[in-house]
């Protein structure tokens, strides 16, 4: 299992040069269901925090979020990243 501390600040890849500034991305994040805690992404502790985080990044123009769909075990979002910081900034 990868060390989560390695991924705390930024994505560790470079976007291909053919991806233009201002491109819109569909991002899907899927989580494994935790059988012990039975915690879902839509649960009372995670759901509001994830939505607040999406709002925060949108409000402070880190990204422009067209849509953010939160499901019990995954999320979808259509986002455009700030041209100053980009996706990996």
């Amino acid at each position: 299992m990868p060390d989560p501390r390695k991924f705390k600040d930024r994505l560790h890849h470079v976007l291909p040069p053919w991806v233009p500034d201002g491109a819109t991305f569909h991002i899907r994040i899927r989580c494994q269901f935790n059988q012990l805690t039975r915690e879902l992404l839509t649960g009372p502790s995670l759901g509001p925090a994830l939505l607040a985080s999406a709002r925060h990044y949108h409000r402070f123009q880190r990204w422009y979020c067209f849509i953010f769909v939160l499901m019990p075990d995954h999320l979808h979002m259509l986002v455009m990243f700030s041209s100053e910081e980009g996706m990996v900034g």
Side-chain angles (χ1 to χ4, degrees):
M1 180 171 200
D3 183 348
R5 292 172 291 176
K6 291 182 181 177
F7 306 105
K8 65 180 182 175
D9 293 329
R10 55 179 282 153
L11 295 174
H12 291 271
H13 70 275
V14 177
L15 289 177
W18 48 264
V19 176
D21 287 341
T24 300
F25 295 87
H26 170 246
I27 297 176
R28 177 180 180 263
I29 300 172
R30 184 178 183 278
C31 299
Q32 184 174 352
F33 181 70
N34 186 332
Q35 293 291 339
L36 295 175
T37 64
R38 307 196 63 74
E39 184 71 38
L40 301 174
L41 294 179
T42 53
S45 63
L46 286 176
L50 289 168
L51 293 171
S53 179
R55 273 190 226 100
H56 172 82
Y57 282 107
H58 182 84
R59 183 178 308 122
F60 289 98
Q61 299 178 349
R62 175 66 176 90
W63 64 34
Y64 177 79
C65 187
F66 295 96
I67 189 166
F68 186 90
V69 180
L70 188 57
M71 307 294 280
D73 68 344
H74 69 284
L75 64 85
H76 295 271
M77 50 198 254
L78 287 176
V79 293
M80 181 172 40
F81 294 92
S82 161
S83 59
E84 289 81 38
E85 294 189 51
M87 180 189 288
V88 296

